[in-house]
Amino acid sequence: SLPSIPSGLVITMSDAPAPPPMLSAVGKPPVMLSQASSSTITKPEDGAAALKPPPPAPSSRPSSLKSTEPLAPPPASKDPLSMAVPIPAPMIKKQSIMAMGASARNIEQDLSSMSPHCEEVKKYAATVAISALVEIEKKFAAVLTPLVEAEAYKATKKKPVDEALWCSLGSSLDQGPIFTLETLAANGHADVVASTILPWLPAFLAHKGLASAKGVGAGQPTFDSFVHQIPGFSTTNELLCEVLECVVENLGLELLIIATSYKGGENISAETAERIIQAAYAGILREVKGPPSVGPFEAFQKARIPLLTAMLGQMCPKYASTALRLFVYWMDGRGAGGMPTDDQKLSLCLSLRCISMDFNEAATLKEFSSWVTFVTQLLSNNFASIKKANDLPTQFCLHYLDLIDMVMRGGNFEESRITDPASSEEAKSLMTKIEALFGDLNIKITPVAKPHPTLAPKANLLMSNLLVRSSLNCYGANLEAFLTKRALPLCYVEKTRDNGLHCVLRVLRGPRWAETAPKVVLSVKRVPFAGEKSIEPKFKNGVRYVAHKYSCIMPEYEEYKEALFRPDSLVWIQNHLFDKKVMKKVKGMCTVANDCAEIMLTISSNSLSPSFIRGILDYKSHKFLDFFAVGVRTVQIVLDPNSGFALYASTTRTNALLDAMAGIQHELSGLLSRAIPEVLPMLLKDVGIKSFGCASSPVTSSSILDKGELVDAFRAPSLKDDVNNKLQILQEINNALPFIDFRLTASIIKAGLIHHKFSHISSGVVTSLQRMLKFHPDKRPDLVAELILHLCETPMEDKVKVTTLLTVILDILRLWSSFIKDGTDGRTKNAAAEDKGVVEDGKDKPYPDWTARTEAASLICLCHEDTNVRSLALQLLSEVGAIRASQFQLIFSVKFAGLSEDKRASECDNLMSKTSFCVDEFLTKDGADIVQRALYRYMVDSAAGIEDPFATAFATTAPPLKKVSQMSTTIWRFALPVIASRVVTQAHPSVMEETRRQLYLHLTDGGVKTKTMTKNIKDSTLWASQIELTLSLANNVGNTLGEHLEFAGATGGGKWALGAYKDPLEKLEQYLATIWDILTETAEPPDLWVNKFEAAMRASSGDAVGPVTRSMWSWYSGLKEKHKKRHIMVVIKFLRILSECDGFVGALVSDHELLALYETITTSNDVLGYGWDGGVNCTPGSTVLNICILIDKVATSILKANYLNSGERESQFTVCARYDKEQRQVLYKWLRSCHSWPARGVEYDMFGWENMPGALSKMRLSSAEEKACFRYASRAVGKMVQMGTVLSDNGLKQVKEELLMDRPPFHISWFLASGESGSEVFPWLLAYHTKELGLPFVQRSCVTGRDEMKWLFNAIADQLIPSYTLPKPPATSVTEDSTFYYRDVGEWGVKRDLGSMKKRQLTDIEMSAVAEARVFQEADFTCANCEAMGEMELLFMSLSALRDPDVVIRNRAFLMTRMNVLTLMDREIGMAREVEGSKIDFMTAMKMDFAKVMNGHFMAFSAESSAVLDEEGVEVCASVADCLNSVGKIPNFFKAVFEADEPRSEWGGFHWRAMLLGPFCGKIGLTEDGKEELSETGETFVNNLFELSCQIPVEYNAVCVYMWKPLMRIDAKGVGEVGDDGGANPNVHAVVSFLLYVTAKSGKDMNVCQQIALVCYKAFPQQCASWFTFPLTFEMQYGEASGVYDDNDRALQATSVVILLSGLCKTDLIPLLPFLPSILCFALLKFPTATRFIESGDESAASKGVASVQFNTIPTLLVNILSGLQPLALKESRPEPGDDITLRTNKLIALLQAAKEHKHMVLDWGSSVAALSKPGENLGSGASGEVGELCVARSFGAVDPKSFVLEVLTCLEDGVVDLKAKTGQEGLNWALHC
């Protein structure tokens, strides 16, 4: 078809505003161009005068390319019109057609703007035509160049020439310039186009001045200009020259045919027409000169003659006279080549086969008459020249007869009325010649009595044509004789039957019927025609369209009314051929069924009586299959829209009842539908697949859109006629299928003719099915469903049949998709959008049955082992998706055509939301995920999977699903269950149900097999895959979604071969019960069926678990004991595999009876008794592991089932199974004994214990099995302990002893290791044994290792608080969807309570983790009971853990503290309410204050940051201390503190312990009310606190002040609390008193005393200075106060004071100045004497008195006093001290340092002690009384005491006022006492 051409078109390749008119045609597919045109043709602004034509071509060219002279290349064209503006590549497909349409409109506008028939129009058209041809020339040269360079035109032995390629080079050209030429030709400029093309043709077509003819304009392309564009061209290369001539000739002829196809010769000038006709004759007479064996010349010769003949025919009928005249001219030897040879004459005879003549033209009538005379003379000359019969030139005669026959059929004898007796003389003369020719043929050339054996058939046909085109006299005189004596007798002889029937048919059809000439095939691409009828081309593929008519009577002239052929006369002919009486005489009518059918139709159309067709279809009446075949073919032609019968019958002359004729089509269809069943069984029996068998290979893919709709019958020469006849009748029935009852189509499909051995039978069925799809859109769903049903009934093992059916269905679906998408079925969009049953439309249209059936069949075919079958199945699913998508798009385009884009999208989305996903949609969407999951399962479950390098590589970059389907079945079977799971969750339920229904048909042989045995399974792999798919699809949704399903027996209950069932799952169980006996049969290899069953188990869905388990355990239970031992290991393995399926737990949870069954199985002696006797692919070790895994899964199911129903009353929850205490203990014992502990390779002292007891597994296990068994056993035990107690009394005792470190941690180590494996034993163990294990848990968590501490700590926390932790703040990024981000932020804000909206819940106590996760209401269960776990120990532990670096532990410690304190306060407040006068309000206030503090710090302790929260923690501790103080629990708390072990380093160590205890110490009173002395409890507390402080390492002992400061009511800044009397708190004096006793005995802990003393001294310097110096005064030592203390006390206090003051005086000496005389007197008097120094720190020595200790401390004290006081004195009184005092001071400090460090200087007082009373006077020694030098030693190490005292006082006298006087007064007391 060609495009619609308006009046004038222009081609342009840019700025296309609108599509061309051709795209508006409904149902026409868009034409996609391979490349856009490179030219832009526009009209110049200034009209034709502005055109600048290109330079002219060379003035002359050689007559042949064989010239030896080289040709100069033509000048380059500079025409701007030939320049190209290319379209960008991505836009070509969309813009090409639109651009051509726009260009055509531009040409129209340009031509319409000019005056018609003016010179301007011709020049413009010529310019456009030249430019288009130049572009074609350039593109064609570009196509030829690589072929020429590669010498592809030369044939070699290894590589023959591709003849098809060389003859189809025009297909590579663009459509744009060709469309330009068509546009011009269609708008009245065909002459210009033809004149442009003719000079481009090769020179051998030159004739009669054609060589010298000029082109239509400047720049005219020529053959020479073209060949010089080919690189490497040379005229010396004759082979290449010949090839170029041929290819240019072919292309030029095709362009001429296109240009003249619209109106033929009507738009061609006489001169141009003659040139074309001359060129045609010249081309026909010319032969290609190249040898066929060398190049593609034989193909060129075959291709060019039809083109030349067609071009000649397209000049007619206008120039028919010219064609006839020149034919005679060339035949007579007056042409360019002279007298033609015999072969050339034969070729010329074929040149007029496409001619058409209009005898209304006098010239045509005249030339035709002359032509008849000429040809008749030629024929007569041939007969006249022979002397003997053998001398007759038969070939020439046959060609002449053919020539006359063809030309006669081209004339309009009836329409021109030349047969009218009143016609012109010329016409009468012509009729006379025709009658004479008829007479010669009838009498002389081939008489009836002795017909010529060779010429007779041709002559008979010619006579038929001559007879119906002759005058009435000749017609009436010869008709009866011709029929009865010549034509009809031929019909009774098989050898001549064809010829006779053709003659009768020609006579019946009359003068208007003309058999069409063969069509020519053009290689160039053309835009399809879709325009108006008025401009439709008259020629299509070189053939003129003629409206043939069934016309049996001559024209209705007055004198012809009594013509011989009246309607009743037709019955006479009918009876001669088809009457029952002649049926026996006429045999083999099948071979000519088409001609017979045409005869019957011609008669019926004109006789208005189709009743004879009914009779011939009545096989029961006549019993002749041959005639039945004629009847079938006749009805088929009547009903087939492609036969043209409706058009031809509507133009008959005698059919006045046209509507009645059209109305009988339905009747004939019904008649044929009723007649076929009478013969079909016989045909299927004799020539069906039961007799001939099936094809050995599948059918190939084909489509009627590609191969056409040819439905002619085929007869195999190798078969007998009877068989061929029956096969032909079967073909006729197949061909009629699109037009008869669909039930017959179903019968044909069911009969398996698609698989017939003979391809013409199977292909005929396929073609008819596709034609039915085209002509009956309403039957499309039924047709597909019927094919799918046949596929279901076909054994899947038959690969050929399955492949054939899949291919056929796939082709039908593709064709269906094409009909919808491209409209190739010729229907409008509105009509196609109304098709029913294609897709669903909300609730009104359910999911189509055909879709569900097709998808189900495809899924089943995915089980096949053959990769081609799987590929076809996937393509089938894809095509179903394509049909649905195309139909939805079509519906939307029609339904929402008038809506805006947004509204349309909204409506489409709304409609699509009511539809279901088809399988292809989610396979496309989830394809990568399906492949990833399949490869993962392949690598995990398959032994070869992990070692498969391809699988490993694909695991990261998954291949497409289609590619995986082409891999081995081993890999593909892992993808099948994943696909099935997607079907269950995403596809429409009907797909799943239909798949199961079809699967049962395959597995039970259509429901016949009641027991599955090995011998019934032909393909074990396929059978196993079908079982896998069945188990994967098990889903009991039929009852809930039954309203959507329409498949009988697919949902709800029913009955089948295996019995009645209530739901699909019971049906599955019934089938599975028939397959387990296969395991008892012998197989090769032995593990064949075990492996198949394993794969099936792995593929099971959740709902399949029940049927599989029940059927398998029922089968096992029915075995004999000896067989049980043999199969129990396999059963256990299957159960384990089932337990690993995704839906296993869900299945047990939803089916309590199934759960109870598994509880029975897992506790049975068969499973736990170790009484196994071997099994296929099983070992004892693997069986132990399988049991562990199974128990773990069952325990999980029990917990989940009970948890989901925990809110129900017991009476409503009696079905759910659970392990009782006895069963739990049995399983616990078995699980602990199934593996060795400690594990092999682990040292027994791993937990610091030697001689750790060990236990070995009962079965010998490998290392890997040991680890796996432990892992699953620990998980199972972790779930067992959730159900209740699992430990015996003895076991509980052992666990407690292990917690208290009284025995090796055999059980504890196992529990810890199980925790690392993911099991939670400790929380539940503690929950059920809180009283026994609570306090040991707390105590051990404070001392054990970090890892163990976490488990114990979290177990304790789970008893008290929830398990959740607040989430992190959501993070965003540039790629995240803001909607989801803001949603997450909002949810996070709610959980974090950012607005403090939950403060009213300050005191709420949330349910603990174990309480929330609690499943069973066991009596022993305990949670949130702090008292049972040691309330204060727990509180101290949680406060200590606030410093943990782990944010989770820190958060849980915080929450435990809150829960513990609130619980304690609630209890105490409740108890206080019963006591009158209690401080309830105060206690309540403390509780609320605590709650507020905890709420305020909640977020800080819940944050993910690990920042230290010491300040917040101290505040929490202070609030806790307030609460405990309010209820009097501080002593209880400290009791727990003092009994605790050393703090954990990760809990802040002693530093944090001191800090957290500070607030609690601040609540302690050390004295009785109103007293300063330590009370008994105070003394105990101080001693304990001091011991706690002494535990702090020396380098960190400064942190002890965090406890002592609050105790002495000193704040963090060192400011002490002052009482009403202005003095310090009594606790301060009590602590000082404690220090005076303990310091001297503290030994290595002396630093602690000094730290405490320093705190006191800084807070209360005056008071503490007085208290610390009093023990050194004479009053304390020997005065009135000395009586209170014994010597030991005084010695200890004095020693302690000297030790403490040694440090305090360095800190601040000023508070000690008032007490300096007492200090100096004591120090000087007690300075070490001759007794040698002893080591300090000896507590026993210190307890004996001052003398043994002060040796080491008094020098230090004096040094510190001197060092501290001297700068103070110098600063105030001696701003510029002299050298003497500086010298003396430094010398004294040095001596004291020597005494301190080197223990060398001592004082020996003797009687000199009295000198202390007068320290200011001369302390002379001896008679002279002079004081000696200080440095002068009296004895070894001794210095003069008086000199030493004097030196000290001299150095210090300026620091203290009246120092000597005060010292003397104090010294007097000491001197008097001494």
Side-chain angles (χ1 to χ4, degrees), residues 413-584:
F413 287 87
E414 183 179 354
E415 294 89 335
S416 63
R417 304 173 68 90
I418 63 172
T419 58
D420 189 348
S423 59
S424 65
E425 292 298 326
E426 189 68 35
K428 292 179 181 178
S429 175
L430 175 61
M431 290 294 103
T432 301
K433 295 177 183 179
I434 292 175
E435 292 168 7
L437 178 58
F438 177 82
D440 289 344
L441 291 172
N442 190 31
I443 297 173
K444 297 180 181 180
I445 297 178
T446 173
V448 175
K450 192 178 180 180
H452 192 279
T454 305
L455 300 180
K458 292 285 186 181
N460 292 336
L461 293 175
L462 178 57
M463 282 190 287
S464 301
N465 271 336
L466 293 174
L467 181 62
V468 297
R469 287 166 175 81
S470 63
S471 63
L472 179 61
N473 293 331
C474 178
Y475 183 75
N478 297 292
L479 177 61
E480 184 174 1
F482 178 78
L483 289 175
T484 57
K485 295 182 179 182
R486 182 179 292 272
L488 290 175
L490 295 177
C491 298
Y492 301 145
V493 180
E494 186 175 359
K495 183 178 180 181
T496 60
R497 181 177 297 134
D498 287 352
N499 185 245
L501 291 174
H502 281 131
C503 292
V504 174
L505 188 57
R506 287 192 176 190
V507 171
L508 289 175
R509 283 177 171 170
R512 291 197 179 190
W513 185 274
E515 287 86 351
T516 58
K519 297 180 180 180
V520 294
V521 179
L522 303 182
S523 63
V524 295
K525 297 178 181 178
R526 302 173 63 186
V527 178
F529 175 79
E532 300 176 1
K533 188 74 174 178
S534 60
I535 58 174
E536 185 176 0
K538 291 186 176 182
F539 294 89
K540 183 177 180 182
N541 297 328
V543 179
R544 183 171 180 265
Y545 172 76
V546 179
H548 301 294
K549 302 179 181 181
Y550 288 94
S551 177
C552 300
I553 299 181
M554 297 298 289
E556 295 182 353
Y557 307 141
E558 269 310 308
E559 56 271 29
Y560 290 176
K561 285 185 178 180
E562 301 298 327
L564 175 65
F565 263 4
R566 297 189 302 272
D568 56 342
S569 303
L570 299 176
V571 178
W572 170 73
I573 299 176
Q574 183 174 276
N575 290 333
H576 273 74
L577 291 177
F578 306 113
D579 190 75
K580 186 176 180 180
K581 297 178 181 179
V582 299
M583 286 184 180
K584 295 181 180 180

Side-chain angles (χ1 to χ4, degrees), residues 1468-1508:
E1468 294 297 327
I1469 291 174
M1471 295 172 59
R1473 295 183 187 279
E1474 301 175 1
V1475 180
E1476 187 175 353
S1478 60
K1479 300 178 181 180
I1480 297 178
D1481 294 340
F1482 177 69
M1483 297 163 64
T1484 303
M1486 291 297 100
K1487 171 188 171 182
M1488 295 306 298
D1489 291 344
F1490 168 77
K1492 292 177 181 179
V1493 170
M1494 299 301 283
N1495 188 70
H1497 294 316
F1498 179 64
M1499 290 183 64
F1501 282 93
S1502 300
E1504 293 293 332
S1505 172
S1506 58
V1508 177

Side-chain angles (χ1 to χ4, degrees), residues 781-792 806 809 813 847-861 876-877 880 990-995 997-998 1001 1046-1048:
D782 296 336
L783 175 60
V784 175
E786 194 62 40
L787 288 169
I788 294 298
L789 178 60
H790 181 48
L791 179 60
C792 297
L806 289 176
I809 298 171
L813 292 182
Y847 197 72
D849 293 355
W850 74 270
T851 308
R853 293 178 189 271
T854 306
E855 291 176 336
S858 302
L859 291 171
I860 295 174
C861 289
L876 214 60
L877 293 173
V880 170
S990 60
V991 178
M992 178 189 64
E993 295 295 342
E994 177 63 13
T995 307
R997 187 182 69 86
Q998 293 184 20
L1001 290 177
E1046 301 178 359
F1047 304 109

Side-chain angles (χ1 to χ4, degrees), residues 1801-1870:
M1801 187 184 76
V1802 297
L1803 297 178
D1804 191 4
W1805 281 100
S1807 60
S1808 299
V1809 71
L1812 290 175
S1813 61
K1814 298 178 180 181
E1817 299 180 2
N1818 188 3
L1819 300 177
S1821 174
S1824 62
E1826 296 179 357
V1827 177
E1829 289 292 332
L1830 179 63
C1831 298
V1832 178
R1834 289 188 173 187
S1835 61
F1836 182 78
V1839 297
D1840 182 18
K1842 292 185 288 183
S1843 300
F1844 182 79
V1845 172
L1846 181 61
E1847 193 71 18
V1848 171
L1849 293 178
T1850 301
C1851 292
L1852 300 178
E1853 63 181 344
D1854 293 328
V1856 181
V1857 181
D1858 299 332
L1859 176 62
K1860 292 183 178 181
K1862 294 179 180 179
T1863 304
Q1865 182 64 37
E1866 182 71 16
L1868 180 60
N1869 295 330
W1870 284 97

Side-chain angles (χ1 to χ4, degrees), residues 592-613:
V592 290
N594 195 64
D595 291 334
C596 293
E598 288 293 337
I599 292 174
M600 290 191 68
L601 288 174
T602 305
I603 296 174
S604 300
S605 302
N606 289 274
S607 66
L608 306 178
S609 176
S611 59
F612 202 76
I613 299 176

Side-chain angles (χ1 to χ4, degrees), residues 703-709 770 774 814-815 818-819 824:
S703 171
I704 59 174
L705 297 180
D706 300 328
K707 69 175 184 178
E709 301 181 33
Q770 294 185 3
K774 175 181 178 180
R814 287 173 176 168
L815 186 62
S818 175
F819 289 158
T824 48

